[in-house]
Amino acid sequence: MLFTIAITIPAVIGIFFSFTNSIGFGEWNFVGITNYVAMFGDPAIWQSYGFTMGFAAVTVILVNVLAFLLAVGLVARIRLKAQLRTIFVIPMVISGIVIAFVFNFLFSNAFPALGQSLNIPWLSESILANPSLAWVGIVIVTAWQAIPGTLLIYIAGLLAVPGDVYEAAELDGATKLQQMLQITLPLVAGYVVINVILGFKNFLNAYDIIVGLTDGGPGTSTRSIAMTIFTGFSGGDYAYQMANATFFFVIVVVISLLQLRLTQGKNQL
């Protein structure tokens, strides 16, 4: 009941208004699929889709690779691993907008000052001011916050792998690399699937970190789909951006179904 009231009913209302000329309040009229036709011819809309899809794909790969390697290290027989696990999950409990403002200061002031003092040209300018590199800063900050949650899932998966499997592999002469590729990865494949699906869904909805870092700039080079939709709501394009949001919902559902289809049989925990 709570899900229906908070999610389903507002979604249905939003889809309804996507077929009108409503500006969010006042009178409105039905306009059919006019908003959808206009959206498909809007280059700003497609630019936001291109940025968001590319950003999500790169960040998913980076987060999962780093989180998996960290998880392997944090379940190994090392000293202070409990304390290290605590340290590594700290970014997960910090607000995304706070993280974004901190890194904005680092990218815009601290790092350029360091680059100038060390006479390093590429470090002397903020990457957030470069339309070609601003997305890199967003990926770095997003990954920094997302890795802890992914890390915890991988740690749970690695701890579920029986230790005698590795002992048998060592008796057979398997190297550490062979154990990881032929034992660890197949046995935690279900956890990989979970992290990829959850990560991709979350990164497609990227908003707060992008707002705090670049506010969609320089220009509109880092404007995500979510930013485009919310900006339209406040700019009088309520129905138009509702059509965009409806189309985005369909895209996310299709991508999720494709991911589940491609990984069918590999997501059993």
Side-chain angles (χ1 to χ4, degrees), residues 115-268:
Q116 292 171 7
S117 64
L118 297 177
N119 197 24
I120 303 177
W122 62 269
L123 190 60
S124 300
E125 297 181 359
S126 172
I127 61 174
L128 300 180
N130 188 329
S132 301
L133 296 177
W135 68 273
V136 176
I138 296 173
V139 168
I140 292 172
V141 178
T142 304
W144 189 80
Q145 187 190 36
I147 284 175
T150 308
L151 171 67
L152 292 177
I153 294 177
Y154 279 136
I155 288 178
L158 292 172
L159 292 176
V161 178
D164 54 1
V165 176
Y166 294 106
E167 294 176 3
E170 289 180 358
L171 292 176
D172 289 337
T175 64
K176 293 296 183 182
L177 180 60
Q178 289 174 327
Q179 291 179 32
M180 178 179 291
L181 296 178
Q182 300 178 22
I183 297 177
T184 305
L185 281 176
L187 291 179
V188 299
Y191 297 88
V192 175
V193 172
I194 290 175
N195 278 327
V196 169
I197 293 177
L198 291 179
F200 203 79
K201 180 192 74 68
N202 291 333
F203 300 145
L204 285 177
N205 292 301
Y207 180 77
D208 53 350
I209 287 180
I210 297 178
V211 170
L213 281 177
T214 65
D215 197 26
T220 58
S221 60
T222 60
R223 176 169 290 185
S224 66
I225 300 171
M227 282 194 66
T228 302
I229 293 172
F230 282 116
T231 302
F233 286 165
S234 61
D237 288 332
Y238 176 79
Y240 181 61
Q241 292 303 334
M242 266 304 171
N244 186 12
T246 302
F247 179 71
F248 182 45
F249 167 74
V250 173
I251 293 295
V252 172
V253 170
V254 171
I255 291 175
S256 299
L257 292 176
L258 286 175
Q259 287 179 317
L260 291 173
R261 181 69 176 178
L262 292 174
T263 57
Q264 191 172 14
K266 299 180 182 180
N267 57 349
Q268 299 297 322

